Amino acid sequence: MKLQITTNRARKTADWLPLLLVLVILVFIVRTMTVSILTVKGDAFSPLYQKGDMLVVNHWSYGLRTGGNGSLFSYGRLLRSPVRHGDIIAFDSPSDSIRGIMVGRCKAVPGDTIPLSGGTVLVPGLITCARENYYWIEMPCGKHGKTTQLGLVAESKIIGRVVKTIRW
């Protein structure tokens, strides 16, 4: 009798195992395609974000980013929507010398002009016949309220919008 009970338990476990595996894979796919959680390492966005805060980034804010960055497919966005003035966005570093994910505030969108000490800069985009949209991003510079003008960030580098802060 004991042998039969063990066999029934093993059979029931074997019946649930494929379903559990499929659920784990689905959770992984949904998690990687919808949100990221980033940890703040500096105090540039203080007092808005402080060192150790966790930022939830919505990958679907501007449409799901597909392809690009050395993948088999060219860059594109599913269900595209524009970045707006003042949005705080997460993006892959536009510089080859700095690696990682950065966070900044959108100061200008395609077609806007940015006054600089040497003149003005037109933010390029599809409306100005550029190959893709660019956004002028600024980053706060510590607690003094000053901003650092990071410059142009290509739409293909944008991961998504910061939608929530988790404080510890």
Side-chain angles (χ1 to χ4, degrees):
M1 243 3 200
K2 269 188 170 176
L3 182 61
Q4 191 175 22
I5 293 171
T6 306
T7 306
N8 285 342
R9 250 190 234 152
R11 189 174 296 140
K12 285 182 181 180
T13 302
D15 289 344
W16 282 97
L17 197 56
L19 177 62
L20 184 62
L21 184 61
V22 168
L23 285 174
V24 167
I25 291 170
L26 283 175
V27 166
F28 176 76
I29 290 171
V30 168
R31 193 326 212 146
T32 56
M33 292 180 70
T34 58
V35 296
S36 290
I37 298 176
L38 308 174
T39 302
V40 176
K41 294 185 178 169
D43 65 350
F45 265 98
S46 181
L48 182 60
Y49 303 129
Q50 298 167 5
K51 188 175 182 178
D53 284 354
M54 298 173 80
L55 307 178
V56 179
V57 178
N58 180 353
H59 290 227
W60 284 87
S61 296
Y62 308 116
L64 182 64
R65 183 169 69 161
T66 60
N69 293 339
S71 75
L72 296 173
F73 306 104
S74 61
Y75 165 76
R77 291 217 181 241
L78 298 175
L79 303 173
R80 177 186 307 256
S81 65
V83 176
R84 290 183 224 91
H85 292 91
D87 282 359
I88 297 177
I89 62 171
F91 54 94
D92 294 321
S93 173
S95 170
D96 291 335
S97 61
I98 302 171
R99 295 201 180 266
I101 297 173
M102 302 175 82
V103 175
R105 184 182 305 273
C106 179
K107 174 76 174 183
V109 298
D112 289 352
T113 55
I114 300 293
L116 298 174
S117 59
T120 59
V121 172
L122 175 66
V123 179
L126 297 173
I127 60 171
T128 62
C129 298
R131 293 180 68 195
E132 67 177 305
N133 286 326
Y134 288 82
Y135 299 91
W136 188 268
I137 306 300
E138 291 186 341
M139 298 175 69
C141 190
K143 299 176 183 177
H144 307 295
K146 295 179 182 177
T147 58
T148 300
Q149 294 184 353
L150 181 64
L152 296 172
V153 174
E155 183 181 68
S156 58
K157 297 283 187 181
I158 296 173
I159 298 168
R161 185 168 53 93
V162 175
V163 294
K164 185 149 182 71
T165 305
I166 302 170
R167 293 233 158 97
W168 291 99

